[in-house]
Structures are given as structure tokens and as C-alpha cells.
Amino acid sequence: MTTVVLKRTGQKMPLVGFGLWKVTKSTCADTVYNAIKAGYRLFDGAGDYGNEKEAGEGVRRAISDGLVRREDLFITSKLWNTFHAHDHVKTISKMQLGLWGIDYFDLFLVHFPIALQYVDPSHRYPPEWFGDDGKVHLQNIPMSETWGAMEELVDEGLATNIGLSNCQGSLIIDVLRYAKYEPQVLQVELHPYLTQEALVQLCKTLGIAVTAYSSFGPQSYLELGMGKDSASLLEHNAVGSIASAHSKTPAQVLLRWATQRGIAVIPKSNNHGRLVANLECDSFDLTDSEIARVSALNINYRLNDPVAIDPRMAIFA
């Protein structure tokens, strides 16, 4: 299994994609182009990453050179918190499509279930978490309003699939109460230190595909000055011994632990060798006992939590 079939549209989403978070602007176009050349077909971006234009340049170059067609690619982007109001969703999505240089997103996600005060893109883009005064400014916009606007993107062909990110079960269930188009994908932080088993099971029951980000746990956050208080998963004895048994890398084991259970992953690497190795993580199978051994590392260790920015954003409380 190299894809997951999305429930409403039947579209096949690759289980292994390339994440664009923290890919620098100066190298992003070349990184995307080389990733396509290596075989990647899913690219996971977001307005907040600040590299949509450059990612789009890599895509356009690959299409121009005949490496792929647009329909061969699965491009994901996300709605940032300052654009949750109905009238802003369509406007910003069209702007993001323009930056990418494409006509539609295969998947468009609500990045966080947090609404912040609107920031005009001409003033600052990406707007990030803070206002001009360095403070967080929340906005009272219900998810029902945002989700209704997301559904309009589907109706107008701007997004083939829509979904949620960084949401827990109660909010997912609430969205299902009024959704015309159910969320097709949930993207969440998920790794052996944060297995989220109940959430994964809920999504499986509801027919919502799950994409894991930060598959390598603390490793993804070291350059941000975070994650130093926990042992590296890439250097963990349990992961290392399993990797040795299969003649694979620890990174491949961590990715396979997810994909073998139907959970999509979006690792990023600026190293071409690791980039290729990550894509080949589906070339072997872990035993049930090995999967259980990796899952047993869970300590509910969440790294990406907005509560660290402002206590009013404790969405995982």
C-alpha cells in the first residue's frame, strides 16, 4: 500500500510525501524539483511556511521539463489562523494558489482551530501568530463559519479535498454535525513519543485519513531550540535495534511504523540521500511485535502546542 484512498472523492493520496515546513526560500525551488525527480508526488505546504512561491517554481520547472503532469502531483496547503472569517477564506486561498502557480489544491486544511484577528496580506504575509504590537489577538469566529467557507472552495473547484489539522476528537465530531463535505484528512503531530492512538482510531472509525507530521519527534524541533529535553528517537536503542534487524535507517523505521498502519507521513530533508531513503520507507515491513515496541515509547510528549505562545490557545487541554 503506497496510497490512502480519500473517502468522499476516492482520490489516492500518497502515504509518503515531502513536507515544506522549514525549507528555506533560497533552496525551496531546487528542493521541490529534486524531490519530484526522486519520485515524490505529495508536497505538504502552508501559507505560514512562507515558501509557497518558491515551491511553486519547483513544481512548474518539473512540469515544464516533462518530469510530471500537474495531475500526477498531490499538493496540500493550509488556511492560516488570521483568515478564518468567511470572506477571507476564498480570497486568501486564491492568493495562495497564485503563489503556487496552480489552479487548485488537492487538499486544503484548516491549519489550527484558532481564529486570530485578520491581517491584510499586503501589510504582512505570512502574518504569523502576533500582531504588530507583538501580542496575540484572538477573533471570535466559529469553526462552522470557517468550514462553510472551506466547502465553497470545493464547490468552486479551488480545492478537491478539505480537512483539518491540529484538531482533537471533540471538534472533529462537532464539524461532522454540520458539514456538507466531511473532513477528508486530519493532519496532526504524531510520532512514537506521541502516538495519539485514540484519535487515530476515531479517524479510522469515521473514515478520515490521518497524516502525521514531526515523524522524527524532537529532531524536527532542535533547530528551533526545542525538543532538547528528550532523547532523540533517531538514536533510541529500540528504534536502532529494529533498524539493524532490517538493514534500514532509524528514520525509515519511524516512517514505516506510521505508513504500515495507513498513516501518511510528510518528512522533510535537505540531504538528497536521506530524501531518497525516506521515500523508500515502504520497501520493508515491521513485525507486529516491532510496531508494538515502537508504540510503547509513547510518553504523550507534544512539541507543537500553541499554549506555549498564549494560555488562551490551549487547544489540546
Side-chain angles (χ1 to χ4, degrees):
M1 183 173 62
T2 59
T3 63
V4 57
V5 179
L6 302 184
K7 181 180 175 182
R8 184 181 63 81
T9 60
Q11 188 172 3
K12 293 180 179 179
M13 183 178 77
L15 273 174
V16 183
F18 191 90
L20 295 169
W21 180 46
K22 298 184 299 173
V23 175
T24 58
K25 285 186 178 183
S26 60
T27 61
C28 188
D30 287 341
T31 297
V32 168
Y33 181 88
N34 289 329
I36 292 173
K37 200 170 184 178
Y40 282 90
R41 294 296 177 262
L42 186 153
F43 290 88
D44 182 86
D48 187 52
Y49 300 166
N51 54 15
E52 294 167 294
K53 181 176 182 292
E54 293 74 17
E57 289 172 1
V59 166
R60 288 195 298 276
R61 193 193 313 164
I63 292 174
S64 176
D65 288 355
L67 298 181
V68 288
R69 301 167 300 169
R70 168 64 184 94
E71 54 267 34
D72 297 327
L73 298 174
F74 191 105
I75 297 177
T76 299
S77 195
K78 307 178 187 74
L79 176 79
W80 186 243
N81 308 333
T82 51
F83 306 111
H84 276 213
H86 174 274
D87 293 347
H88 295 146
V89 172
K90 190 179 303 179
T91 301
I92 196 62
S93 66
K94 286 183 176 180
M95 176 182 151
Q96 290 177 244
L97 286 168
L99 289 170
W100 274 91
I102 57 178
D103 297 325
Y104 65 94
F105 289 121
D106 295 275
L107 176 63
F108 200 60
L109 304 172
V110 179
H111 204 153
F112 285 91
I114 298 170
L116 300 177
Q117 285 184 15
Y118 175 69
V119 176
D120 192 314
S122 65
H123 175 65
R124 186 174 66 251
Y125 187 84
E128 301 183 328
W129 290 95
F130 305 100
D132 292 343
D133 58 1
K135 297 179 181 179
V136 172
H137 298 278
L138 300 178
Q139 185 77 22
N140 289 327
I141 301 171
M143 182 59 80
S144 57
E145 177 179 334
T146 305
W147 191 253
M150 294 282 285
E151 291 174 329
E152 292 179 13
L153 301 183
V154 176
D155 289 334
E156 295 193 21
L158 301 176
T160 307
N161 303 279
I162 52 176
L164 301 168
S165 182
N166 298 301
C167 289
Q168 297 298 90
S170 58
L171 186 55
I172 296 169
I173 291 170
D174 184 65
V175 170
L176 291 177
R177 292 187 176 117
Y178 49 75
K180 178 173 72 171
Y181 303 133
E182 297 181 358
Q184 294 292 283
V185 177
L186 173 69
Q187 184 176 129
V188 290
E189 179 183 347
L190 194 153
H191 45 76
Y193 283 159
L194 183 68
T195 57
Q196 306 232 55
E197 292 172 14
L199 184 59
V200 170
Q201 184 58 47
L202 173 65
C203 288
K204 182 178 180 180
T205 301
L206 297 173
I208 299 173
V210 176
T211 297
Y213 70 77
S214 300
S215 293
F216 305 142
Q219 185 67 32
S220 305
Y221 295 85
L222 294 179
E223 62 192 84
L224 303 177
M226 302 165 60
K228 297 178 181 179
D229 55 346
S230 188
S232 169
L233 281 169
L234 293 172
E235 299 174 1
H236 198 288
N237 288 338
V239 177
S241 64
I242 294 170
S244 296
H246 292 273
S247 299
K248 299 297 180 180
T249 67
Q252 287 174 316
V253 169
L254 293 172
L255 296 173
R256 190 60 178 145
W257 169 78
T259 61
Q260 195 167 323
R261 295 178 294 135
I263 297 170
V265 294
I266 44 173
K268 156 251 179 184
S269 179
N270 289 315
N271 177 282
H272 188 74
R274 288 195 293 269
L275 179 151
V276 173
N278 289 343
L279 188 59
E280 295 173 347
C281 69
D282 289 344
S283 63
F284 68 106
D285 288 331
L286 300 172
T287 65
D288 290 344
S289 62
E290 287 171 337
I291 289 176
R293 189 178 175 193
V294 175
S295 296
L297 301 178
N298 180 54
I299 52 175
N300 296 318
Y301 181 43
R302 188 184 300 278
L303 290 138
N304 188 13
D305 193 340
V307 72
I309 299 173
D310 190 301
R312 297 172 298 168
M313 299 193 296
I315 56 175
F316 302 117

